[in-house]
Amino acid sequence: MITLSDAACAVLAAAEPAEKCRLTRLFSADWRDGRITEVGNTLPPARPARPLRPQLLPPRDMPRRSYGGDRGRIGLIHALAHIELNAIDLGWDIIARFAHEDLPRDFASDWVQVALDEVEHFEMLERLLASLGAAYGDLPAHDGLWQAAEKTADDILARLVVVPMTLEARGCDTTPATMDKLARNGDTLTPPALDVIYHDEIRHVAAGVRWFTFVAQKRGLDPKATYQSHMRERYPAGLKPPFNHEARAEAAFPRDWYEEMARE
């Protein structure tokens, strides 16, 4: 019988997005229904498998994105689809990479659900691309999200700070304005998809805050001070307002934690 970390590694080893999505659905159901019962300790690869397309570039080498019209929509949706594909892997990676932390079963369940949410997001964005005559892989994409994962592979607290509590929280900050702009430009299809992603991201940020606090306290650390020290060390670019305080409050993200970092 396979363990959940075995399942995570199988998803990470799947290069094609459709197979990554299929396996995520399969293994999440197996975990939910009790066919997989143990987390296990199988170590994940340093990097997940990736399809031949899109071409992955450093963020600084990405071509300037076009704005307006179908071309602009395709560029935006493609970039978001790439983020969501990476996010599937991040959900599984955190389960297997930090299995040695001996966390409650609910920790694994939360990140299995995150990975399943990201599958729904990716496939929804794929359908939007298809409606515009495009497909995932048609445009280059940057590798910044997985680079952030590599830089936080040594410590679960650092991973939680950088990925859900910073990168996903930033999505909560910026998505409402993006939806408004698209709607004003007459786009009736993309904003509803972004709204689904936005509300799921709030739950993902909440999971990050909850488990960061749990692990910090388990280690006898002050959560706020530990968050801020990890931000200084692991995210030197710093935080830039404006913040979506309402969404962050819904995720139980204490305002003074991040606002103080923005003022530094």
Side-chain angles (χ1 to χ4, degrees):
M1 182 176 292
I2 70 167
T3 66
L4 192 63
S5 58
D6 292 332
C9 291
V11 175
L12 292 164
E16 291 305 314
E19 180 66 0
K20 201 176 288 291
C21 294
R22 185 189 73 82
L23 289 175
T24 295
R25 283 202 167 89
L26 173 68
F27 294 139
S28 63
D30 286 345
W31 176 253
R32 180 195 65 218
D33 296 339
R35 290 183 292 275
I36 296 176
T37 59
E38 300 295 329
V39 173
N41 56 10
T42 305
L43 290 175
R47 289 183 61 84
R50 285 285 177 261
L52 294 177
R53 300 169 65 246
Q55 178 188 13
L56 296 181
L57 299 173
R60 66 180 180 275
D61 294 340
M62 284 289 292
R64 187 179 297 275
R65 189 186 300 165
S66 171
Y67 290 91
D70 284 352
R71 184 178 177 186
R73 286 181 63 203
I74 289 169
L76 171 65
I77 296 167
H78 191 278
L80 293 173
H82 183 67
I83 290 170
E84 300 299 332
L85 185 69
N86 274 269
I88 297 168
D89 287 326
L90 285 166
W92 288 109
D93 184 85
I94 198 172
I95 293 168
R97 192 164 303 282
F98 301 107
H100 63 278
E101 293 283 347
D102 190 29
L103 294 168
R105 179 184 175 89
D106 284 349
F107 174 83
S109 295
D110 276 353
W111 297 106
V112 168
Q113 183 60 52
V114 167
L116 189 59
D117 290 344
E118 310 298 10
V119 165
E120 298 289 345
H121 301 167
F122 177 77
E123 293 180 337
M124 182 169 54
L125 294 167
E126 270 198 315
R127 291 192 293 271
L128 281 176
L129 286 172
S131 73
L132 295 167
Y136 177 66
D138 286 353
L139 301 175
H142 74 69
D143 201 31
L145 190 54
W146 198 261
Q147 289 171 359
E150 290 175 330
K151 292 175 182 177
T152 57
D154 62 313
D155 186 355
I156 190 172
L157 289 178
R159 174 66 63 82
L160 291 168
V161 163
V162 171
V163 178
M165 296 173 69
T166 300
L167 300 178
E168 284 211 80
R170 189 60 183 159
C172 294
D173 295 336
T174 61
T175 298
T178 301
M179 289 191 291
D180 288 345
K181 183 177 180 180
L182 292 169
R184 287 196 305 270
N185 289 337
D187 185 342
T188 60
L189 297 178
T190 312
L194 295 188
D195 190 59
V196 171
I197 294 172
Y198 169 69
H199 286 95
D200 285 346
E201 277 186 331
I202 293 172
R203 290 191 294 100
H204 301 172
V205 175
V209 173
R210 181 169 61 253
W211 290 110
F212 175 86
T213 302
F214 179 92
V215 174
Q217 291 175 339
K218 183 182 177 186
R219 295 181 183 179
L221 302 171
D222 175 75
K224 176 182 175 180
T226 305
Y227 163 78
Q228 293 184 341
S229 66
H230 276 79
M231 280 296 297
R232 293 184 191 99
E233 179 184 353
R234 304 297 183 121
Y235 203 77
L239 296 176
K240 297 179 181 179
F243 300 112
N244 185 341
H245 296 300
E246 182 179 351
R248 287 170 177 255
E250 190 175 340
F253 199 156
R255 183 166 176 166
D256 59 321
W257 288 22
Y258 61 84
E259 269 199 327
E260 290 176 13
M261 300 303 298
R263 287 198 295 264
E264 291 190 353

